[in-house]
Amino acid sequence: MEMINGTHITELLVYYTCLIIDLPEENGKPKLQDCSTTNGTSSSRIICVECNIASKFWDGEAVTDVRGMGHLISFLLWLVIVITGLFGIVTNFLIIIVLKGRNCKGTKFNFLLSVLAVYDLISCFSSILATTSFIACFMGWSTCGSRLSSYFIQISQSAMFFSRTLSIYMTIFITIHCYLGIAYPLRTRKWFSWTKTRMVPLLVLFISILLNGPKAIASFVDKRVHHGAEEDIQSLSNIPYVSRWREEWLQLWYKGAFVLLDFLDFTLPLPTFLVFNFLSYRKMN
């Protein structure tokens, strides 16, 4: 929240609230800010909401136009995610059963694989839940911006990112373990005792909490921006509840530390995974 000379208040909304509102257009393009047009309790005060992303569909249709092309594409993408997620749930469940069998017990590598299968299982389920919460809003199956739907979207999104980090970093640790086993087979047995191997899932859990916890805490669901009076913000006319950033966390995390957390969570894993796979390939050849 930003105040300029006590007359201008801007609320930065969380992206999943931005996705379900139609921001105004300027010169044919959606703006990233919408401000009040009435005076409220003060003739000089202006209340604004701001988004980091534009919420208009590529063909310009409104969020409420559930029969538009953008909604159809979103629905088809949701079906792909649901089908893929259900396939992942069944596959990982079968992997867990096989790895828990008598013939596969007792090896450290199979233990790590079984933990990865559990994390992938959670990730598939939470992804289905999170995308369903969005498509239910887009297609008019639920009331957008209600207290219940806002909390459901917020919780499901946090769960999706949390489980995603679990799967990614567990995969990275397994990849590193494979490389070390190929490059230093005798030393790896000493480096990865059963005690240390069992600590890996806990380390991954700690990393996931560290990377996703601050963002989950920094946002909250609240009644739309009032500040003591009903303000006429057109984008929020049908949205009684919004998700927005806490002011103290916004200043401390969002403009600084969140950049580092996003780098560790989204940018760093892929090159790390590729590098260790390449090194493993080189060692085997």
Side-chain angles (χ1 to χ4, degrees):
M1 183 169 61
E2 180 181 2
M3 297 189 66
I4 304 177
N5 298 325
T7 61
H8 193 134
I9 302 175
T10 301
E11 292 281 358
L12 182 62
L13 301 180
V14 180
Y15 78 96
Y16 37 81
T17 293
C18 294
L19 287 175
I20 62 173
I21 65 175
D22 285 315
L23 292 168
E25 291 188 355
E26 186 177 55
N27 298 325
K29 296 181 179 180
K31 298 172 62 178
L32 297 180
Q33 189 179 88
D34 191 10
C35 298
S36 60
T37 56
T38 57
N39 294 325
T41 58
S42 173
S43 59
S44 61
R45 187 174 64 175
I46 298 175
I47 308 295
C48 298
V49 291
E50 185 176 302
C51 289
N52 287 328
I53 58 173
S55 56
K56 285 285 187 181
F57 285 96
W58 64 273
D59 59 350
E61 71 190 61
V63 172
T64 55
D65 184 12
V66 297
R67 295 186 178 181
M69 181 60 66
H71 286 76
L72 176 60
I73 294 174
S74 297
F75 179 76
L76 293 177
L77 290 175
W78 171 72
L79 285 180
V80 171
I81 292 173
V82 170
I83 294 172
T84 306
L86 291 175
F87 178 78
I89 290 174
V90 173
T91 303
N92 284 287
F93 184 72
L94 294 176
I95 291 174
I96 294 171
I97 293 177
V98 172
L99 292 175
K100 289 297 182 180
R102 181 179 301 178
N103 295 330
C104 295
K105 280 187 175 181
T107 65
K108 300 168 188 175
F109 186 70
N110 285 345
F111 168 76
L112 294 177
L113 286 180
S114 63
V115 174
L116 175 60
V118 172
Y119 286 167
D120 285 344
L121 188 69
I122 298 173
S123 180
C124 291
F125 179 77
S126 62
S127 295
I128 293 175
L129 198 64
T131 52
T132 300
S133 68
F134 272 126
I135 202 66
C137 182
F138 286 151
M139 303 305 295
W141 302 339
S142 66
T143 304
C144 293
S146 66
R147 181 189 288 270
L148 181 61
S149 65
S150 296
Y151 274 114
F152 186 77
I153 290 175
Q154 183 182 40
I155 294 172
S156 62
Q157 288 295 304
S158 297
M160 180 182 68
F161 288 125
F162 175 79
S163 58
R164 172 191 170 278
T165 305
L166 286 177
S167 295
I168 288 176
Y169 272 86
M170 195 68 208
T171 303
I172 289 176
F173 274 104
I174 290 177
T175 304
I176 295 174
H177 182 275
C178 290
Y179 166 72
L180 294 176
I182 296 171
Y184 310 99
L186 297 179
R187 296 181 183 179
T188 302
R189 295 181 181 179
K190 297 181 180 179
W191 291 342
F192 287 92
S193 63
W194 266 110
T195 301
K196 293 179 180 178
T197 302
R198 291 191 180 99
M199 291 296 293
V200 171
L202 297 178
L203 177 61
V204 172
L205 180 62
F206 173 77
I207 292 174
S208 183
I209 294 174
L210 182 65
L211 295 181
N212 296 285
K215 286 187 178 180
I217 298 173
S219 62
F220 69 106
V221 175
D222 195 12
K223 289 185 177 181
R224 69 184 186 200
V225 189
H226 291 305
H227 294 283
E230 179 69 26
E231 304 292 346
D232 183 17
I233 300 178
Q234 187 62 33
S235 299
L236 303 180
S237 59
N238 298 319
I239 306 294
Y241 289 90
V242 298
S243 294
R244 52 194 176 96
W245 297 103
R246 300 182 191 274
E247 181 183 1
E248 60 275 14
W249 282 86
L250 177 63
Q251 299 299 326
L252 178 63
W253 288 97
Y254 188 78
K255 297 181 179 179
F258 277 179
V259 177
L260 175 61
L261 297 182
D262 284 341
F263 171 78
L264 294 175
D265 200 19
F266 291 95
T267 308
L268 183 62
L270 180 58
T272 303
F273 176 77
L274 294 176
V275 166
F276 277 99
N277 272 285
F278 175 76
L279 293 175
S280 298
Y281 175 79
R282 288 290 302 272
K283 283 292 181 180
M284 289 188 296
N285 292 277

